[in-house]
Structure formats: structure tokens, C-alpha cells
Amino acid sequence: MIGLELGISIASAAVRGEATGRPTAFRGDVVSVAKRALKAGEVLDGEGGYMVHGKLAPAEMSLKLGALPMGLASGVKLGNDIPQGGVVGWDDVEVDDSVLAVQLRRELERTMRG
């Protein structure tokens, strides 16, 4: 989706001085889905790799599933087997909680759950 919006975003910013791409709420998420059966102990290769792809999901569904955001699916080790087509969840991976992106995402999730 980013590529489709790039031209209009540049034009809006340069010509009209408008900010673009600013979300007003957490409505959608890109969750990590196994391209093939994955085994515990494997390390995910992230976006553009051979192990997972992103699937757009409503934010509410992503939170309900405890889904791992696609943007954080690189370099994390699986603790559980995941079947082909299965959503990879936070509970399925070993995450470094000292990473700022992980901290910010977890804060977002806590905020959304109330």
C-alpha cells in the first residue's frame, strides 16, 4: 500500500504543505503468517524472506490473536512450531524486550486493551 500512496503524499506535502500518513487511530495491522510449516528453533527472516509474509488484519483481531507484527518478525527465534498459513504470535517467539520498537509496540497494545 505504501507504493500506491507515495506520489500523492509527496505532492500533498510539497505543493499544499499538508502532512500525510498520520494515523488517527489503531485500526489495522500487518500480522506475520507462516509461508511454510515452521519449526521451533528457527529464526524468522522477516519482510521479503522465505518464512513469513504479512497479512492485513483489523487491529482488534491482531490484538485478540496476540499476533506478531510483520515489522518485528526479523531475527526472532521461534519457540513453537507454526503450521503453514498460521499466524505467528508474540507467545511463539523469543523477543528482545530491550529493543525500542518492541517496547513501543507493547505500550500501544497495553493502551488499546485499556
Side-chain angles (χ1 to χ4, degrees):
M1 294 203 286
I2 293 170
L4 298 175
E5 298 172 357
L6 183 60
I8 193 68
S9 291
I10 291 171
S12 294
V15 175
R16 297 188 302 238
E18 296 175 348
T20 62
R22 185 172 153 218
T24 57
F26 181 45
R27 293 188 178 93
D29 203 7
V30 180
V31 301
S32 302
V33 177
K35 288 184 177 181
R36 61 170 173 81
L38 303 173
K39 298 292 181 192
E42 291 186 279
V43 177
L44 297 181
D45 56 0
E47 297 178 46
Y50 295 96
M51 303 171 88
V52 291
H53 69 271
K55 182 175 181 181
L56 186 60
E60 184 178 300
M61 174 76 68
S62 174
L63 293 174
K64 183 178 177 181
L65 294 172
L68 179 69
M70 185 64 193
L72 298 175
S74 180
V76 293
K77 186 176 180 180
L78 283 172
N80 299 313
D81 293 345
I82 308 292
Q84 181 177 358
V87 174
V88 180
W90 284 107
D91 293 339
D92 297 314
V93 296
E94 297 173 13
V95 179
D96 181 356
D97 290 321
S98 70
V99 173
L100 181 59
V102 171
Q103 293 171 8
L104 292 172
R105 175 55 190 232
R106 297 230 195 226
E107 181 179 339
L108 169 72
E109 291 182 0
R110 279 191 302 276
T111 301
M112 296 309 298
R113 287 189 177 110

